[in-house]
């Protein structure tokens, strides 16, 4: 969703409240594509502060389907998003280009709500997602979900430093 903010950006101390919606169907990143399960319209408070900067504030919750880090089952994960952004309206000699590059959600007087939400989800992305605290994960050999049933694979794990000796024993068994 693109918001036209020319009236707010050009009038000193003008304030506006806009109800916005998230239009992207999923959160797509280098990690993969994660569908939204729940997203609600929310309000953004916009304030032109002395024609120097535009304040953008708001908050919402989204629910995203993220695979469990151990068993890969989808987990409904709620992410709370808080928007508290400042966008400079006037260029000063001290402003460097790195500050302007950070605000990729603003182009001229157009605010890209989906880009704003995308950046905030990226910052608030959970480090680890588990379906349950005692998730057993998947079998390293057959790929079975160990939460659902036990597999018949050999569970002994050998020290990798002893792999060369194990190969010698395996050759003697073959003869």
């Amino acid at each position: 969703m693109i918001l036209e903010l020319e009236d707010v950006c050009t009038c000193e101390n003008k304030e506006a409240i806009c109800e916005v919606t998230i239009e992207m169907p999923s959160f797509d990143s280098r990690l993969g594509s994660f569908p939204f399960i729940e997203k609600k319209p929310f309000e953004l408070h916009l304030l032109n502060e002395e024609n120097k900067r535009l304040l953008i504030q708001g908050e919402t919750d989204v629910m995203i389907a993220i695979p469990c880090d151990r068993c890969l089952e989808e987990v409904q994960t709620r992410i709370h998003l808080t928007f508290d952004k400042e966008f400079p309206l006037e260029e000063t000699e001290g402003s460097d280009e790195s500050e302007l590059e950070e605000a990729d959600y603003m182009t001229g007087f157009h605010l890209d709500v989906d880009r704003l939400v995308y950046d905030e989800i990226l910052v608030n992305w959970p480090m680890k997602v588990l379906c349950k605290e005692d998730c057993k994960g998947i079998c390293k050999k057959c790929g079975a979900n160990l939460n659902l049933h036990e597999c018949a694979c050999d569970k002994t794990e050998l020290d990798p430093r002893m792999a060369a000796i194990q190969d010698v024993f395996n050759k003697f068994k073959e003869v």
Side-chain angles (χ1 to χ4, degrees):
M1 174 178 205
I2 305 290
L3 284 180
E4 175 63 44
L5 301 178
E6 186 172 2
D7 58 331
V8 176
C9 292
T10 56
C11 296
E12 188 172 341
N13 295 325
K14 176 135 185 179
E15 190 172 345
I17 297 174
C18 301
E19 185 167 302
V20 296
T21 57
I22 302 169
E23 292 178 347
M24 55 183 166
S26 62
F27 177 75
D28 299 326
S29 71
R30 289 185 292 175
L31 299 173
S33 182
F34 307 95
F36 284 102
I37 296 171
E38 180 184 305
K39 54 186 178 179
K40 299 176 190 169
F42 62 99
E43 289 184 345
L44 277 181
H45 300 271
L46 307 163
L47 173 63
N48 177 339
E49 203 172 63
E50 305 290 325
N51 270 347
K52 293 182 180 176
R53 64 181 162 257
L54 176 68
L55 299 177
I56 304 168
Q57 297 175 327
E59 63 181 83
T60 187
D61 287 321
V62 294
M63 181 103 53
I64 300 176
I66 303 174
C68 174
D69 286 338
R70 293 183 187 157
C71 69
L72 303 177
E73 291 291 322
E74 280 197 351
V75 180
Q76 295 183 3
T77 307
R78 183 171 302 282
I79 300 175
H80 182 73
L81 307 175
T82 303
F83 308 99
D84 193 13
K85 305 285 185 186
E86 286 186 20
F87 184 77
L89 292 176
E90 62 181 19
E91 289 189 35
T92 60
E93 292 178 20
S95 67
D96 57 356
E97 290 184 20
S98 64
E99 290 178 11
L100 298 175
E101 289 175 12
E102 288 178 9
D104 60 349
Y105 50 86
M106 278 291 283
T107 308
F109 297 128
H110 303 288
L111 171 67
D112 187 348
V113 175
D114 284 347
R115 188 66 202 179
L116 181 69
V117 169
Y118 180 91
D119 290 348
E120 208 55 40
I121 290 173
L122 203 56
V123 169
N124 290 298
W125 193 258
M127 294 297 278
K128 187 173 213 70
V129 176
L130 297 176
C131 59
K132 56 186 178 179
E133 286 298 318
D134 62 341
C135 177
K136 296 176 183 175
I138 57 175
C139 176
K140 294 177 184 178
K141 293 184 180 178
C142 69
N145 186 340
L146 299 175
N147 294 318
L148 302 177
H149 54 81
E150 289 292 321
C151 64
C153 296
D154 184 19
K155 301 278 191 266
T156 58
E157 291 188 29
L158 301 175
D159 188 340
R161 297 171 292 185
M162 301 298 286
I165 295 173
Q166 184 65 33
D167 290 340
V168 171
F169 286 125
N170 288 338
K171 286 181 184 174
F172 283 118
K173 287 181 185 177
E174 292 173 5
V175 177

